[in-house]
Amino acid sequence: MLDANGRRLWRGFNLLEKFSACSPSKSAPQSNLNLPFREEDFRWISDWGFNFVRLPMSYHCWSDPDRWLEMDERVLEHIDSAVEMGRRHSIHVCLNLHRAPGYCVNPPPEKKNLWRDEDAQAAFCHHWKAFAGRYRGVPAAALSFNLVNEPPAPSEERGISRADYLRVVRPAVTAIRAEDPERPIIVDGLSWGNEPLPELSDLNVIQSCRGYLPFGISHYRAPWAGEACMKAPEPKWPGAWNWGDPPWDRARLEKHYEAWVSLMAGGARVHCGECGAYNRTPHKVVLAWLEDLLDILVSAGIGYALWNFRGAFGVLDSGRDDVAYEDWYGHRLDREMLEILQRF
């Protein structure tokens, strides 16, 4: 599958071995405890016809937040191995700071504010500069950097404005390109990846959207998503709940992505860094919605990465109780979901 410029769309999964340096919790029930990445994941993803993995990582895995300019070489070698596994299996690897110095979309909050504290911004650039130097020489086709996961909607309460976000992005891009001018850089949209940034067109970066709307499907009864999601009505598609909106259908979903399609019409490249639905949503509803979502994205030339590969959103070991699983080397494979993904 190609985009408008003849490039293969990035299609794949998120791998969570560096998602957290802490034990799984209510806010991050799918987290792993700072583990090495698994070669079997890369092999299966490639064998099934996909070409992309995103690694959402916490900097706490390799740095003490009280000494955040220091980086643990032993942990960085795990990331080196993932980059090499990607190259062996013809999979593009995207490194993402899910928890960056001064910000994470998930609790607990960081002590400093990435958007406004200069020392947090300096540490953020330090980490990306280190990665850029470390992987200088790795082909652009093999590796990209996704700066920071899901910046929030601008507000004084959240301690971020649109201008604040741009002041974080631009120096980080400069720091990376000073070390490695050809490295592809991905910038998440504002409002948790839902609002594109046309004003970054001069940077020649890839922008990243999300595939989590409506929340009444993607986060139904997800314990970290708040009381409203826990009490949302039984999901259906079309007709799903989303924060008091009129019920969502395919037309409403298409309308949501119009701003991203418009951004692409101006020459930008867009990728959906995360999409999927938690395992409390009925399987048939998930599959119907996912088929519409992927058709909209891929038809527009937007690749995707399912959250996640193994786990509650994924095709392996999802823990759903309404799936006829297939045994896959000791894992429980959701073949129906996999086949939908393979079609797009």
Side-chain angles (χ1 to χ4, degrees), residues 151-191:
S155 75
E156 195 58 36
E157 180 183 3
R158 298 185 185 99
I160 181 175
S161 69
R162 196 176 186 96
D164 291 332
Y165 185 45
L166 299 178
R167 280 195 298 270
V168 167
V169 166
R170 289 183 177 276
V173 170
T174 298
I176 291 167
R177 289 186 173 153
E179 293 289 328
D180 188 352
E182 302 305 316
R183 182 63 53 213
I185 298 171
I186 301 174
V187 177
D188 277 15
L190 274 167
S191 301

Short mmCIF file of all heavy atoms in Angstrom, two decimals, residues 151-191:
data_model
loop_
_atom_site.label_atom_id
_atom_site.label_comp_id
_atom_site.label_asym_id
_atom_site.label_seq_id
_atom_site.Cartn_x
_atom_site.Cartn_y
_atom_site.Cartn_z
N PRO A 151 0.64 15.50 23.38
CA PRO A 151 0.52 16.74 24.15
C PRO A 151 -0.96 17.09 24.34
O PRO A 151 -1.78 16.83 23.46
CB PRO A 151 1.22 17.77 23.25
CG PRO A 151 1.10 17.21 21.87
CD PRO A 151 1.20 15.73 22.04
N PRO A 152 -1.32 17.68 25.47
CA PRO A 152 -2.73 17.91 25.74
C PRO A 152 -3.30 19.10 24.97
O PRO A 152 -2.58 19.80 24.24
CB PRO A 152 -2.74 18.21 27.25
CG PRO A 152 -1.40 18.82 27.50
CD PRO A 152 -0.45 18.11 26.57
N ALA A 153 -4.60 19.30 25.13
CA ALA A 153 -5.23 20.49 24.57
C ALA A 153 -4.71 21.71 25.31
O ALA A 153 -4.60 21.70 26.54
CB ALA A 153 -6.75 20.40 24.72
N PRO A 154 -4.34 22.76 24.60
CA PRO A 154 -3.80 23.94 25.28
C PRO A 154 -4.79 24.54 26.28
O PRO A 154 -5.98 24.71 25.98
CB PRO A 154 -3.55 24.92 24.12
CG PRO A 154 -3.36 24.04 22.92
CD PRO A 154 -4.30 22.90 23.14
N SER A 155 -4.29 24.82 27.46
CA SER A 155 -5.07 25.51 28.48
C SER A 155 -4.13 25.94 29.59
O SER A 155 -3.09 25.31 29.80
CB SER A 155 -6.18 24.63 29.06
OG SER A 155 -5.65 23.66 29.94
N GLU A 156 -4.49 26.98 30.29
CA GLU A 156 -3.67 27.43 31.41
C GLU A 156 -3.67 26.38 32.52
O GLU A 156 -2.65 26.17 33.18
CB GLU A 156 -4.19 28.77 31.94
CG GLU A 156 -3.19 29.49 32.84
CD GLU A 156 -1.86 29.75 32.15
OE1 GLU A 156 -1.84 30.04 30.93
OE2 GLU A 156 -0.82 29.65 32.85
N GLU A 157 -4.79 25.72 32.72
CA GLU A 157 -4.87 24.69 33.76
C GLU A 157 -3.86 23.56 33.50
O GLU A 157 -3.26 23.03 34.43
CB GLU A 157 -6.28 24.12 33.80
CG GLU A 157 -6.48 23.02 34.84
CD GLU A 157 -7.88 22.42 34.80
OE1 GLU A 157 -8.67 22.82 33.91
OE2 GLU A 157 -8.16 21.55 35.64
N ARG A 158 -3.69 23.21 32.22
CA ARG A 158 -2.75 22.13 31.88
C ARG A 158 -1.32 22.64 31.72
O ARG A 158 -0.41 21.86 31.49
CB ARG A 158 -3.19 21.43 30.59
CG ARG A 158 -4.56 20.76 30.71
CD ARG A 158 -4.90 19.97 29.45
NE ARG A 158 -6.24 19.44 29.54
CZ ARG A 158 -7.31 19.98 28.98
NH1 ARG A 158 -7.19 21.08 28.23
NH2 ARG A 158 -8.50 19.44 29.13
N GLY A 159 -1.14 23.94 31.79
CA GLY A 159 0.19 24.51 31.72
C GLY A 159 0.82 24.46 30.35
O GLY A 159 2.04 24.32 30.22
N ILE A 160 0.00 24.61 29.32
CA ILE A 160 0.53 24.58 27.95
C ILE A 160 -0.32 25.46 27.05
O ILE A 160 -1.56 25.48 27.14
CB ILE A 160 0.56 23.13 27.40
CG1 ILE A 160 1.13 23.10 25.97
CG2 ILE A 160 -0.81 22.47 27.48
CD1 ILE A 160 1.32 21.70 25.40
N SER A 161 0.35 26.18 26.18
CA SER A 161 -0.30 26.92 25.10
C SER A 161 0.21 26.35 23.78
O SER A 161 1.18 25.59 23.74
CB SER A 161 0.01 28.41 25.17
OG SER A 161 1.38 28.63 24.88
N ARG A 162 -0.43 26.73 22.72
CA ARG A 162 0.04 26.30 21.40
C ARG A 162 1.48 26.77 21.16
O ARG A 162 2.33 26.02 20.68
CB ARG A 162 -0.90 26.84 20.32
CG ARG A 162 -0.78 26.18 18.96
CD ARG A 162 -1.83 26.72 18.01
NE ARG A 162 -1.82 26.00 16.74
CZ ARG A 162 -2.61 24.98 16.44
NH1 ARG A 162 -3.48 24.54 17.35
NH2 ARG A 162 -2.54 24.38 15.26
N ALA A 163 1.75 28.00 21.55
CA ALA A 163 3.10 28.55 21.39
C ALA A 163 4.11 27.79 22.25
O ALA A 163 5.26 27.57 21.83
CB ALA A 163 3.11 30.03 21.76
N ASP A 164 3.70 27.36 23.46
CA ASP A 164 4.59 26.57 24.30
C ASP A 164 5.01 25.29 23.59
O ASP A 164 6.19 24.90 23.62
CB ASP A 164 3.91 26.20 25.61
CG ASP A 164 3.68 27.37 26.54
OD1 ASP A 164 4.45 28.34 26.47
OD2 ASP A 164 2.72 27.31 27.33
N TYR A 165 4.04 24.61 22.97
CA TYR A 165 4.35 23.35 22.31
C TYR A 165 5.34 23.57 21.16
O TYR A 165 6.31 22.83 21.00
CB TYR A 165 3.06 22.71 21.79
CG TYR A 165 3.27 21.32 21.18
CD1 TYR A 165 4.06 20.37 21.81
CD2 TYR A 165 2.63 20.98 19.99
CE1 TYR A 165 4.22 19.11 21.26
CE2 TYR A 165 2.79 19.71 19.43
CZ TYR A 165 3.59 18.78 20.08
OH TYR A 165 3.76 17.53 19.54
N LEU A 166 5.11 24.62 20.39
CA LEU A 166 6.02 24.90 19.28
C LEU A 166 7.42 25.23 19.79
O LEU A 166 8.42 24.88 19.15
CB LEU A 166 5.47 26.06 18.45
CG LEU A 166 4.10 25.84 17.80
CD1 LEU A 166 3.65 27.07 17.05
CD2 LEU A 166 4.11 24.62 16.89
N ARG A 167 7.51 25.87 20.96
CA ARG A 167 8.83 26.19 21.53
C ARG A 167 9.56 24.94 22.01
O ARG A 167 10.79 24.96 22.16
CB ARG A 167 8.68 27.19 22.68
CG ARG A 167 8.52 28.64 22.24
CD ARG A 167 8.75 29.60 23.40
NE ARG A 167 7.78 29.41 24.46
CZ ARG A 167 6.61 30.05 24.53
NH1 ARG A 167 6.28 30.92 23.59
NH2 ARG A 167 5.78 29.82 25.51
N VAL A 168 8.84 23.87 22.26
CA VAL A 168 9.47 22.60 22.61
C VAL A 168 9.87 21.84 21.35
O VAL A 168 10.97 21.27 21.27
CB VAL A 168 8.52 21.75 23.48
CG1 VAL A 168 9.01 20.31 23.60
CG2 VAL A 168 8.37 22.38 24.86
N VAL A 169 9.00 21.83 20.36
CA VAL A 169 9.24 21.04 19.15
C VAL A 169 10.42 21.57 18.36
O VAL A 169 11.32 20.81 17.95
CB VAL A 169 7.97 21.02 18.27
CG1 VAL A 169 8.28 20.51 16.87
CG2 VAL A 169 6.90 20.16 18.93
N ARG A 170 10.46 22.87 18.11
CA ARG A 170 11.47 23.41 17.20
C ARG A 170 12.91 23.18 17.69
O ARG A 170 13.76 22.73 16.91
CB ARG A 170 11.19 24.88 16.91
CG ARG A 170 9.95 25.08 16.03
CD ARG A 170 9.70 26.53 15.68
NE ARG A 170 8.54 26.65 14.78
CZ ARG A 170 8.58 26.50 13.47
NH1 ARG A 170 9.75 26.22 12.88
NH2 ARG A 170 7.50 26.62 12.74
N PRO A 171 13.24 23.46 18.93
CA PRO A 171 14.62 23.19 19.37
C PRO A 171 14.97 21.69 19.34
O PRO A 171 16.14 21.34 19.07
CB PRO A 171 14.65 23.73 20.80
CG PRO A 171 13.56 24.73 20.86
CD PRO A 171 12.48 24.19 19.97
N ALA A 172 14.00 20.83 19.62
CA ALA A 172 14.28 19.39 19.58
C ALA A 172 14.59 18.95 18.15
O ALA A 172 15.53 18.16 17.92
CB ALA A 172 13.09 18.61 20.13
N VAL A 173 13.83 19.45 17.19
CA VAL A 173 14.10 19.14 15.78
C VAL A 173 15.50 19.64 15.41
O VAL A 173 16.28 18.94 14.74
CB VAL A 173 13.03 19.74 14.87
CG1 VAL A 173 13.43 19.65 13.40
CG2 VAL A 173 11.68 19.04 15.10
N THR A 174 15.83 20.84 15.83
CA THR A 174 17.16 21.41 15.54
C THR A 174 18.27 20.55 16.16
O THR A 174 19.30 20.29 15.51
CB THR A 174 17.24 22.85 16.07
OG1 THR A 174 16.26 23.65 15.39
CG2 THR A 174 18.62 23.44 15.84
N ALA A 175 18.07 20.11 17.41
CA ALA A 175 19.08 19.30 18.09
C ALA A 175 19.31 17.98 17.37
O ALA A 175 20.45 17.52 17.21
CB ALA A 175 18.66 19.05 19.54
N ILE A 176 18.22 17.35 16.92
CA ILE A 176 18.34 16.08 16.20
C ILE A 176 19.06 16.29 14.87
O ILE A 176 20.01 15.56 14.53
CB ILE A 176 16.95 15.46 15.97
CG1 ILE A 176 16.36 14.99 17.30
CG2 ILE A 176 17.03 14.30 14.97
CD1 ILE A 176 14.88 14.65 17.23
N ARG A 177 18.66 17.30 14.14
CA ARG A 177 19.23 17.50 12.80
C ARG A 177 20.67 17.99 12.84
O ARG A 177 21.42 17.81 11.87
CB ARG A 177 18.32 18.43 12.00
CG ARG A 177 17.01 17.71 11.64
CD ARG A 177 16.13 18.49 10.73
NE ARG A 177 15.00 17.65 10.30
CZ ARG A 177 13.82 18.12 9.94
NH1 ARG A 177 13.60 19.44 9.93
NH2 ARG A 177 12.87 17.29 9.57
N ALA A 178 21.08 18.57 13.95
CA ALA A 178 22.49 18.93 14.09
C ALA A 178 23.36 17.69 14.14
O ALA A 178 24.52 17.70 13.70
CB ALA A 178 22.69 19.76 15.36
N GLU A 179 22.80 16.59 14.66
CA GLU A 179 23.53 15.32 14.73
C GLU A 179 23.29 14.46 13.50
O GLU A 179 24.18 13.74 13.06
CB GLU A 179 23.08 14.55 15.98
CG GLU A 179 23.47 15.18 17.29
CD GLU A 179 24.96 15.09 17.56
OE1 GLU A 179 25.58 14.10 17.12
OE2 GLU A 179 25.51 16.01 18.20
N ASP A 180 22.06 14.50 12.97
CA ASP A 180 21.67 13.58 11.90
C ASP A 180 20.61 14.27 11.03
O ASP A 180 19.42 14.12 11.27
CB ASP A 180 21.12 12.29 12.51
CG ASP A 180 20.88 11.20 11.48
OD1 ASP A 180 20.99 11.49 10.27
OD2 ASP A 180 20.58 10.07 11.88
N PRO A 181 21.03 15.01 10.02
CA PRO A 181 20.09 15.82 9.23
C PRO A 181 19.02 15.01 8.50
O PRO A 181 17.96 15.56 8.18
CB PRO A 181 21.01 16.53 8.23
CG PRO A 181 22.36 16.51 8.84
CD PRO A 181 22.44 15.24 9.62
N GLU A 182 19.25 13.73 8.25
CA GLU A 182 18.32 12.95 7.45
C GLU A 182 17.32 12.15 8.28
O GLU A 182 16.48 11.45 7.72
CB GLU A 182 19.10 11.98 6.55
CG GLU A 182 20.08 12.66 5.62
CD GLU A 182 19.42 13.72 4.75
OE1 GLU A 182 18.33 13.44 4.21
OE2 GLU A 182 19.99 14.82 4.62
N ARG A 183 17.40 12.22 9.61
CA ARG A 183 16.52 11.38 10.42
C ARG A 183 15.06 11.84 10.32
O ARG A 183 14.75 13.00 10.58
CB ARG A 183 16.96 11.45 11.90
CG ARG A 183 16.13 10.57 12.86
CD ARG A 183 16.27 9.10 12.52
NE ARG A 183 17.66 8.71 12.45
CZ ARG A 183 18.12 7.78 11.63
NH1 ARG A 183 17.30 7.14 10.80
NH2 ARG A 183 19.41 7.47 11.61
N PRO A 184 14.13 10.96 9.94
CA PRO A 184 12.71 11.34 9.94
C PRO A 184 12.23 11.64 11.36
O PRO A 184 12.53 10.90 12.30
CB PRO A 184 12.01 10.09 9.39
CG PRO A 184 13.07 9.33 8.66
CD PRO A 184 14.35 9.60 9.41
N ILE A 185 11.50 12.74 11.49
CA ILE A 185 11.00 13.19 12.79
C ILE A 185 9.48 13.28 12.73
O ILE A 185 8.92 13.85 11.79
CB ILE A 185 11.61 14.55 13.17
CG1 ILE A 185 13.14 14.43 13.29
CG2 ILE A 185 11.01 15.06 14.48
CD1 ILE A 185 13.84 15.77 13.46
N ILE A 186 8.83 12.71 13.74
CA ILE A 186 7.37 12.69 13.82
C ILE A 186 6.94 13.57 14.99
O ILE A 186 7.49 13.47 16.09
CB ILE A 186 6.85 11.26 14.01
CG1 ILE A 186 7.30 10.37 12.84
CG2 ILE A 186 5.33 11.23 14.14
CD1 ILE A 186 6.95 8.89 13.01
N VAL A 187 5.95 14.41 14.75
CA VAL A 187 5.43 15.32 15.77
C VAL A 187 3.95 15.02 15.98
O VAL A 187 3.15 15.09 15.04
CB VAL A 187 5.62 16.79 15.35
CG1 VAL A 187 5.01 17.73 16.39
CG2 VAL A 187 7.11 17.10 15.15
N ASP A 188 3.58 14.68 17.21
CA ASP A 188 2.17 14.42 17.52
C ASP A 188 1.36 15.72 17.46
O ASP A 188 1.84 16.79 17.87
CB ASP A 188 2.02 13.84 18.92
CG ASP A 188 2.26 12.34 18.97
OD1 ASP A 188 2.81 11.79 17.98
OD2 ASP A 188 1.91 11.71 19.98
N GLY A 189 0.13 15.61 16.98
CA GLY A 189 -0.78 16.74 17.01
C GLY A 189 -1.14 17.14 18.43
O GLY A 189 -1.01 16.34 19.38
N LEU A 190 -1.58 18.36 18.59
CA LEU A 190 -2.07 18.82 19.88
C LEU A 190 -3.38 18.11 20.24
O LEU A 190 -3.94 17.36 19.45
CB LEU A 190 -2.28 20.33 19.85
CG LEU A 190 -1.04 21.19 20.17
CD1 LEU A 190 -1.29 22.64 19.81
CD2 LEU A 190 -0.65 21.06 21.65
N SER A 191 -3.86 18.39 21.45
CA SER A 191 -5.12 17.81 21.94
C SER A 191 -5.06 16.29 21.87
O SER A 191 -5.94 15.63 21.33
CB SER A 191 -6.32 18.37 21.18
OG SER A 191 -6.39 19.77 21.30
#
